[in-house]
Structures are given as C-alpha cells and as structure tokens.
Amino acid sequence: MRRMVALIFIVLVFGTLVEAAEIPSYHSYLDFLLASPGSMGYGLYGYANPAMARQTDFGDILFAWSDATAANPYANDLSGGTDLDRWGIFSGMFNGFLGFGAIHESNACVGDVTDYRISFSFGDRSKSFGIGYGWSTGDTDVYQRANLWTLGSVLRPVPYLSMGLWGSFATDGSNAGEGCADIGIRPFGNEKVTLFADYALQKDQRIKDGAWSTGAVFEPLPGLRITGRYFDTHRFTVGLSIGLGRLTASSQAHYDDNKHHAYTTYAVRLGGIDRSFIKKAFTRRKNYLELNLKGQVKYQRYRLFDKSNTLLDLLDAIDAAEEDPSITGIAINTGGMNINWELAWEIRQKLEEFKRSGKRVVIFLEDATLPTYHFASVADRIVLDPTGEIALLGMRFGKFYLKGTLEKLGLGFDEWRFFKYKSAYETFSREKMSEGDEEQLKAIIDDFYDLARSEICESRGFSPDEFDRLVNEGYFFTPDEALESGLVDTLGRWDEVKKTIEELEGGSKKMIKPSRLARYSQLHDDYWGEPPRIAVIYALGACAMESGIKARSLSKLIDRIADAKSIKAVVFRVDSPGGSAMASDIVAEALKKCSEKKPVIVSQGWVAGSGGYWISMYGDTIVAAPNTITGSIGVIGGWIYNKGLKERLGMSTDLVKVGEHADLGFGIPLPLLGTIPDRNLTSDERANVEHDIKSFYKKFVEKVAEGRHKSPDEIAKIAQGRVWSGIDGLSIGLVDEIGGIERAIEIAKAKAGIAPEIKVNLIQFPQPPLLNMNIFMPKLFGMKLKSDPALEYLHFRIEHNGEALPMIPLDVMDAIDDYEGPQM
C-alpha cells in the first residue's frame, strides 16, 4: 500500500512534465534561498516545496528583498533595478500546518506582478507531505503567468539526511510544469556542516539539461552560518546568516558567470528563538522563572479544563530554566500545594541540580508541615507568610481499624494471613498494629525522617541534634519564631517576594511564566527528523482489570509499544499498592515480552508494593526514590461474611444447590458495598484456601527471583510481605538505583544507545481522559460531594472477597498529609 501511494505521488509530480510550456524556473526565481529548501532553515515555509511548512514549530515570518531586478528569470539585463523592486514575504503558521508567501517584482520586463502561494502540510519532522496553490496579481498578461498547483514531500529518516521532492503544474490548460528534488547531508548529524545539492527539470528538457546547484552551509558558532552555492550556469553565491534570538538577519551576494558581483539579497526573520552566539554572550540574567504549585501535582492532566501541574512538566521547566541564559533564578509559590512526599523529593532534587548551575531558588510558604518544609529547605531564601506557621511535628504512619465496627454492624471477618508482615487485612481483623506491621512501618518512617533531616540540615546549616530539638521541643513555630530559629529567611506575602529577590540578586528581576522560556520557542532546525522516542507508561492505582491500572487495556498497550519501531525504550512508572494477582501478572508478562525487544526501565513512585512490585519485577533496571514504599512480596486473603447484619435488616435468603460448596459466597446484596456472603468457610474449605495462598506465594517469590536474577531462597529472606523504603530496597537488591523518573529516562536513553546530549521525545501513555467528569458532580450547601476513602476501601475488599491479593494496606498512606492515591 505504501509503495502504491509513493508511486502515485511520483506520477503526480513528474507526470506534469509531459506537455509543454514554460513556467519560472525554481533556481532563477527563488534566489532568496541561501541553500536548497530542505538543507537550511525552513525553505521559505513551503513556497518552493510545500512539505517544508510542516518542519516549522512556531509562527515565523520572513521578509526578503533584492537590491536589483537581476533575479527576474525573464530579464537578461542585470542592471536598472532599485531597492525593493523585488521583495518577498513568507510565513509558517499553526505549527507548520499552513505556509504562505508572496514575491513581488516590478520592472520593465514583467511589469508589476505579485505571485502568491499558500501551502498545507501534514506529517512530522521525519516525513511530511504538502500541497500548495499559487496565483498571481498585477500585469500577469505580460508573460502569461498561470496559477499553479504544487505537490511535495520531505523525508528525513536519520539526522544525517534530508531528501525533498516536489513538482508544480499550471492550471490554465498549458500543462506547463517543473519537477524538483533536493538532498542535504550532515556528516556529523548536526547543524555544524551541511552539504547539499538540488536538481530541477522543466517540461521538454532532457534529463542532462536540467538545472542544478550544489553547495555547503557551515555553522562554526551557534547561529552564525556561512553559505556557498554553485550553479550549473557557473554562477555562484556567498551568504551570511546571523541568529539573534527571535530575529535572524542574512544577506547573500550573487555572482555571474564572469565572477562579477551582480546583486545582493537580504532577509530578516522574526518568530521562534534562533541559536545565537551573540545573544548567549551578551544576554543579562534578568529574569526569574515563576512556578505556582497550587493544586494537585500529578502525572497527567485531563485534556480539557485542567491546568494542574504535572511531574514531567515541572522537571522540564526547571531544566529549561537552567539552560536559559536570561534566567537567574526560580521563585516558587507553594500556597495550596498538594503533593506526596515522593514527587516532592523528585522536584527538590531537580532544584538542587538547578542551584549547582550557579542560579538561585526562592520559595514562598503560607505554612508548612515537615514534608512541605523538607521540600522548601532546598531554597536559597525561604519566605513565610506573616500569618503562617511552621509545624515540625515529625512524621507518622497511622492506620484505622474496623474490627469493632464490623462486629457492631453484624459482619464477621476471617483473615487468611500466613506471612508475618503481610498486613493488608489488619484493618478488619485487629484493633491495633501487629508486631510485624509495627516493625516494618517503624523502619520505613525512620528512613523517611532520616532523609528529611539530613537534607534539611545540609541545606539550612543545622546539626542533626539541633534539628531534633526543633522537632521535639519546638514543633510549632510562629512566623517570628521561625525567623529567629533560622527555619525561614524573611517574612512576607507572595506579592512581596520580588523584594526578597531584589535583595538577594542586588537588583530587580522580572518574573516570567514557563511558556516564556527559550526552550519552548526554540527553533529545531539543528536536528533533522523526529528525535528518538521514549514511551513513558503510567501504571497508577490498584492493580485491577478494569479500574486502577486497567490491566486489560494496559497490557495490550504495552504489546503495541513493544512492536512500535519508532519507540526506542520504555520507562514504566509505577504508583500502585497492588491488588489483583491476575491484573498484576498480565501486565508483568507484557512488560517481560516488551523487554525482549527494547529496554524497559521501571520508575517507582510513592508506592510500588506487592502487586505494584509484581508489575515492576521484569524491568531491566528498577529505579526508586529513597522515600518510595516498595517490596511487600507476599499474598493475603480474607473473608467478610454475615454475622447478624442480615437479620437486623430484616432480610433473609434461600437457595437450591448442586455441589457441596455451591452456597459459598451466596448472600445479601447491599447498596455501595456489594454481596455479603451468608456464612464463613468450613475448616476443610479454609485449609484448601491456605494451600492455595501458600502455593501462590511460592510462585510470586519464584517470579521475583527470575526477574531480579536471584535465587528463590534469597528472595524468600526479604519477602514475607514486608514493605521496604527505597533506601533499604536498594541495599537488599529489590531496586537497582536511587532516583526519580528523570534518572530512569537517562538509563533508558543509555540502554537504547542514545547519546546523553540528544534530546528525546517523551510519549506518555495511556492517553488521559478528555475531562474530569467530577466537575459536573452536584454540590450540597455549596460544597462538592466527595467519596469516602474508608467506604471505597471496604467496597474494594468486598468486591475481591475471598481472593488471594498481592496488596499492601491503603490506609498506611495516612502520613501527616492525607494520601489521595496516585493521581492521573
């Protein structure tokens, strides 16, 4: 099919050459080009080859003019012109979808004529196609100028090669036409050196009589381009182009076949930010990047009506600010920020990297608990609201217990627990923590506290003992006390932060939004084709087939990505407490197959335990943050059943059955909760369940051992359902490196053979929903109705009643700040 389409396209292009009449030749008419269209810049935005319009990224406009009429293809006399007798204006718009251009000339030969061309292009930077239409106004009858259709294509399969093909034909019945092709070669795969050649064949010309040119473009310094071009007519040109940021200026001297200077063309471009050694050398650091972290920081935002901050966007903005020569620092407003500890740590690490470049960070706090203060401590200056407070209460993991509640409701619960640390059902079976649960949670919270204390002390200059005293003896700090204790540097509102920056920098600075950073308006003509692609796949929420991670569709998505040749590696981001074994295994097996075709790097977020670890275990490399909750290799089950509730509600049940155990699971259906079985298991049934869970656990351990290249005995020693911090996970071999998603991307690039300096396109999956339907939820007395986490937790357990689940308890996430689960 593709070959047929290509054949039809070639026929359309060169089939225009079968019959007769002349149209302006490409080489003589488009003398504003410093090189062939596909070899430098954006080729007049589709005026020659309409497919070139798609290579642009931003709204650009270029104005060019000649100091003589010599460029007129119908004029034999190279004299007699005046400034602006010949000029052109060209533009690329709508992310390259649309190109427009006009060339005006006025002389005795052609009269006063303006030629217009509009082009539409589609595709990407590796391959694009376009169609253009041209028409003329003015004295068009002098040389019978005809309206034109143009078809074109650009192919850039690798950064070293660009190939263009286009053809124009008249629409007036004259069948005039011209076919053109160009090729560009970059020996080093970058903009430093480009060699090019082009060829044009008009109707009735023999191939050997076609017009051609060849030349080179050199860019010894960023934005400084020197061009040379030689034509088959023995004419040649020498050009110079200088990038000045959003402005680029160029000129080109044209020499005739006697090596005499004939005329000069000039051009000025406005739009996207061009490379510029001049601007880089002389740009003052005059701006501060403003980041407003209000609201939920999550992984993906809805496609409509959602302005939330996302992890990758924030990391990229900080990175872009680091390389932007106009940026001297970052000012962060944490008012209303909602973020879990792990995401905050990743952003904090990126800010540390930013500071190592010699730039500064200022953070504003309305108030703060210890996790928020840990994040803010990275700043060179911390500004606290004059009515705020710092509450350093320490850290906790808390759980709630429903044993007494279930008894009062008339519900019984049988916990199927056979491993010391597997505590997911303690909520229903106990009134306080078991010894194993207390042991593992205390170890994790100690690691989290040690991490916060060490990084706060390093940033703020406290000793560990001084910090412990602040937590244990001070704990609540008014603004004045926080200032006196050295926890903050000044007091003020967000709108007064500029004053703090002025004092810190010794002069005023302008605050700019991320969209104003140079990276987001940078021209990309330095790299041909699409950058290498890395898929970032999110597995968020409980491991379930149709909800949470949506294992059924997620596994199919992974299969498609495994077969996609354009995707070079996968970063699999896990933020899941586990859940269904089937859902976990389906996704794990899909990743295992994917890893046989391309690198798969796992990045563990806030929690990747039990089923969350199951879907991680086949990664080539597992990266976790120091405050990730990981491990929990174990299986547990439980049985909720009627113990008087049915009777209290005045309900009854009855059934007929075939099979001794057919009534197991039969009971009363309740709104919101689901079916409550009538009875508990018999001793024989429970023994059977125990056998199944232990067999299941054995397989889990064996799968982890396979994925981690260890023996089952080695894994069994660290299993038993125990959860670990990322720090301990590294020491016992459950993870390979400490870091965040950026580190996972770096490893993915290296394993895919992509050089560190090469930028990649991160393609995020699954595609987020169009919009958040909760915005349409009703309000009660002006407040939105919100689901109850405890009720949802109970519903999930009843929905999976009697199943062996590789899952950690969701209520362990109550850690000072309410945990709302991994966010899209």
Side-chain angles (χ1 to χ4, degrees):
M1 181 64 183
R2 290 182 180 177
R3 292 180 180 176
M4 183 175 293
V5 171
L7 180 61
I8 292 172
F9 185 76
I10 291 172
V11 170
L12 284 172
V13 172
F14 286 102
T16 64
L17 308 181
V18 291
E19 299 193 28
E22 185 178 341
I23 65 170
S25 66
Y26 147 70
H27 282 106
S28 61
Y29 192 59
L30 295 182
D31 59 338
F32 294 133
L33 287 168
L34 276 72
S36 66
S39 301
M40 178 180 173
Y42 299 111
L44 302 184
Y45 311 100
Y47 195 95
N49 182 350
M52 279 300 298
R54 190 63 189 88
Q55 301 296 320
T56 62
D57 299 283
F58 310 101
D60 259 24
I61 187 167
L62 181 144
F63 181 75
W65 68 97
S66 170
D67 64 5
T69 59
N72 174 16
Y74 306 105
N76 294 318
D77 182 7
L78 301 183
S79 63
T82 59
D83 286 353
L84 293 183
D85 277 348
R86 178 174 168 80
W87 54 264
I89 188 167
F90 313 92
S91 181
M93 297 167 278
F94 303 115
N95 201 31
F97 173 74
L98 177 66
F100 176 78
I103 293 179
H104 174 83
E105 56 186 318
S106 178
N107 58 59
C109 295
V110 301
D112 196 340
V113 177
T114 304
D115 296 321
Y116 301 91
R117 294 189 187 179
I118 187 170
S119 57
F120 300 91
S121 183
F122 54 93
D124 56 31
R125 285 192 278 167
S126 291
K127 52 184 178 300
S128 59
F129 305 90
I131 182 170
Y133 181 73
W135 70 98
S136 302
T137 61
D139 301 326
T140 58
D141 56 343
V142 176
Y143 282 98
Q144 298 294 319
R145 298 209 180 183
N147 294 350
L148 300 174
W149 282 105
T150 304
L151 298 174
S153 67
V154 173
L155 182 64
R156 290 174 167 175
V158 292
Y160 304 91
L161 179 65
S162 174
M163 297 179 289
L165 179 69
W166 68 99
S168 300
F169 58 94
T171 63
D172 62 355
S174 67
N175 291 316
E178 182 179 47
C180 305
D182 78 333
I183 184 170
I185 298 174
R186 286 180 167 175
F188 308 110
N190 58 34
E191 76 284 3
K192 300 299 182 185
V193 178
T194 304
L195 309 177
F196 66 86
D198 55 14
Y199 176 83
L201 187 67
Q202 286 225 342
K203 189 264 161 198
D204 278 348
Q205 277 188 313
R206 293 178 297 178
I207 292 177
K208 69 176 185 178
D209 295 329
W212 56 266
S213 76
T214 186
V217 182
F218 301 96
E219 189 169 338
L221 295 172
L224 176 64
R225 306 171 187 93
I226 303 167
T227 69
R229 191 178 185 187
Y230 180 81
F231 296 86
D232 63 307
T233 57
H234 306 298
R235 295 183 297 111
F236 66 94
T237 64
V238 177
L240 178 68
S241 175
I242 300 177
L244 300 169
R246 292 193 178 274
L247 181 146
T248 302
S250 62
S251 68
Q252 183 175 212
H254 297 252
Y255 295 84
D256 62 24
D257 54 1
N258 293 317
K259 301 181 182 179
H260 296 146
H261 178 259
Y263 62 97
T264 303
T265 53
Y266 307 88
V268 176
R269 183 205 62 86
L270 292 172
I273 297 177
D274 196 0
R275 299 177 295 281
S276 176
F277 75 97
I278 297 176
K279 187 173 182 180
K280 189 173 183 179
F282 294 100
T283 296
R284 287 191 309 114
R285 289 187 175 184
K286 58 184 179 181
N287 298 325
Y288 252 65
L289 172 64
E290 177 184 346
L291 291 179
N292 188 340
L293 300 189
K294 181 180 179 181
Q296 182 77 42
V297 177
K298 45 190 176 181
Y299 290 114
Q300 292 178 290
R301 65 174 64 88
Y302 294 97
R303 285 175 282 165
L304 294 178
F305 311 123
D306 188 355
K307 296 182 179 180
S308 303
N309 289 302
T310 67
L311 175 62
L312 284 179
D313 281 353
L314 287 172
L315 296 177
D316 192 66
I318 296 169
D319 192 62
E322 181 181 338
E323 70 177 26
D324 193 320
S326 73
I327 295 293
T328 190
I330 297 176
I332 299 175
N333 184 352
T334 65
M337 178 178 71
N338 185 3
I339 187 171
N340 71 49
W341 297 355
E342 192 280 331
L343 293 183
W345 180 83
E346 289 196 52
I347 298 170
R348 189 185 192 279
Q349 289 298 106
K350 191 64 180 177
L351 290 170
E352 284 278 17
E353 178 187 315
F354 175 83
K355 288 176 59 180
R356 287 194 290 272
S357 70
K359 300 182 179 184
R360 295 187 174 94
V361 175
V362 176
I363 293 181
F364 168 76
L365 296 172
E366 288 182 345
D367 47 43
T369 57
L370 180 52
T372 305
Y373 184 75
H374 175 205
F375 170 77
S377 66
V378 71
D380 296 281
R381 294 288 187 275
I382 299 177
V383 181
L384 178 64
D385 190 277
T387 59
E389 68 174 5
I390 305 290
L392 302 183
L393 302 179
M395 294 181 175
R396 71 167 185 260
F397 275 140
K399 301 178 68 174
F400 61 89
Y401 298 90
L402 300 175
K403 179 181 178 181
T405 304
L406 297 181
E407 289 175 352
K408 290 180 180 293
L409 290 173
L411 294 173
F413 181 74
D414 185 13
E415 182 184 27
W416 304 337
R417 179 176 179 175
F418 308 106
F419 308 105
K420 179 179 179 181
Y421 300 102
K422 199 64 183 175
S423 59
Y425 275 134
E426 285 192 3
T427 295
F428 302 127
S429 64
R430 300 181 61 88
E431 296 175 343
K432 63 178 183 178
M433 290 182 187
S434 65
E435 179 183 337
D437 202 25
E438 183 177 357
E439 177 188 343
Q440 64 182 345
L441 295 183
K442 185 62 168 67
I444 289 176
I445 206 67
D446 283 346
D447 283 347
F448 286 9
Y449 180 80
D450 290 345
L451 172 69
R453 178 175 59 184
S454 65
E455 293 187 343
I456 291 171
C457 288
E458 182 179 356
S459 296
R460 300 296 298 177
F462 299 123
S463 70
D465 288 341
E466 287 175 323
F467 182 75
D468 287 341
R469 280 196 296 272
L470 291 173
V471 171
N472 296 320
E473 297 176 12
Y475 52 92
F476 277 118
F477 297 87
T478 65
D480 289 335
E481 291 169 342
L483 186 62
E484 183 180 349
S485 301
L487 292 171
V488 301
D489 300 291
T490 188
L491 304 180
R493 295 273 157 81
W494 170 247
D495 56 9
E496 299 174 288
V497 165
K498 283 186 177 181
K499 183 179 178 182
T500 301
I501 293 172
E502 185 174 346
E503 293 171 353
L504 177 63
E505 300 292 349
S508 62
K509 301 295 177 183
K510 181 180 179 182
M511 298 276 241
I512 67 169
K513 302 293 185 182
S515 60
R516 296 283 306 281
L517 292 169
R519 173 178 294 181
Y520 305 126
S521 298
Q522 193 82 43
L523 299 179
H524 297 300
D525 60 318
D526 57 333
Y527 188 93
W528 280 349
E530 287 291 327
R533 294 179 176 181
I534 291 179
V536 177
I537 306 175
Y538 296 108
L540 310 178
C543 292
M545 297 298 287
E546 308 298 342
S547 60
I549 68 170
K550 299 181 180 177
R552 197 184 309 279
S553 60
L554 181 60
S555 62
K556 293 178 181 178
L557 171 64
I558 294 169
D559 289 342
R560 291 197 300 272
I561 290 172
D563 294 331
K565 294 181 180 179
S566 64
I567 293 177
K568 307 304 180 184
V570 171
V571 171
F572 188 63
R573 178 69 173 202
V574 178
D575 211 328
S576 170
S580 161
M582 179 183 292
S584 303
D585 197 50
I586 285 175
V587 172
E589 289 297 321
L591 279 174
K592 183 179 179 182
K593 293 176 183 177
C594 184
S595 68
E596 295 170 359
K597 299 179 179 180
K598 58 191 63 177
V600 175
I601 312 302
V602 173
S603 169
Q604 296 184 334
W606 177 227
V607 56
S610 206
Y613 190 82
W614 191 319
I615 61 178
S616 303
M617 63 191 179
Y618 291 131
D620 298 310
T621 304
I622 298 178
V623 181
N627 52 357
T628 293
I629 298 173
T630 190
S632 190
I633 301 165
V635 185
I636 196 170
W639 189 255
I640 295 177
Y641 60 95
N642 177 59
K643 201 174 180 181
L645 176 62
K646 179 176 68 173
E647 291 75 17
R648 291 176 187 174
L649 295 176
M651 302 175 71
S652 62
T653 57
D654 200 0
L655 79 162
V656 295
K657 67 178 183 176
V658 176
E660 185 176 342
H661 308 284
D663 62 328
L664 189 60
F666 176 75
I668 57 172
L670 293 178
L672 302 179
L673 295 180
T675 299
I676 307 298
D678 278 348
R679 67 174 180 86
N680 197 2
L681 278 64
T682 66
S683 58
D684 287 343
E685 289 168 337
R686 199 176 191 282
N688 189 286
V689 167
E690 180 177 350
H691 172 76
D692 287 348
I693 288 178
K694 289 180 176 179
S695 297
F696 196 164
Y697 172 74
K698 183 173 181 290
K699 290 179 181 179
F700 192 178
V701 169
E702 290 170 350
K703 284 177 177 286
V704 174
E706 178 190 1
R708 299 303 297 158
H709 307 292
K710 296 179 180 294
S711 70
D713 288 343
E714 288 178 293
I715 298 300
K717 292 177 182 177
I718 56 175
Q720 292 285 318
R722 177 159 183 169
V723 291
W724 305 88
S725 68
I727 295 170
D728 286 341
L730 177 65
S731 66
I732 62 177
L734 287 179
V735 302
D736 300 298
E737 288 200 27
I738 294 297
I741 196 168
E742 266 208 341
R743 178 57 187 148
I745 292 168
E746 290 173 1
I747 296 170
K749 286 178 64 175
K751 287 186 176 290
I754 302 169
E757 68 274 10
I758 297 296
K759 295 187 183 298
V760 296
N761 276 349
L762 300 178
I763 313 299
Q764 299 182 58
F765 300 97
Q767 188 177 49
L770 187 64
L771 52 83
N772 182 4
M773 298 305 295
N774 288 335
I775 64 176
F776 302 110
M777 290 286 287
K779 292 185 178 182
L780 184 63
F781 302 115
M783 299 181 64
K784 281 195 172 182
L785 299 176
K786 190 175 181 180
S787 59
D788 188 302
L791 187 61
E792 290 185 352
Y793 183 45
L794 180 60
H795 178 264
F796 180 86
R797 296 305 189 191
I798 293 174
E799 184 180 6
H800 296 276
N801 203 19
E803 292 185 28
L805 297 176
M807 190 169 191
I808 66 174
L810 293 176
D811 51 349
V812 81
M813 299 306 137
D814 173 29
I816 294 185
D817 298 320
D818 289 339
Y819 176 74
E820 296 188 4
Q823 301 295 306
M824 185 196 77

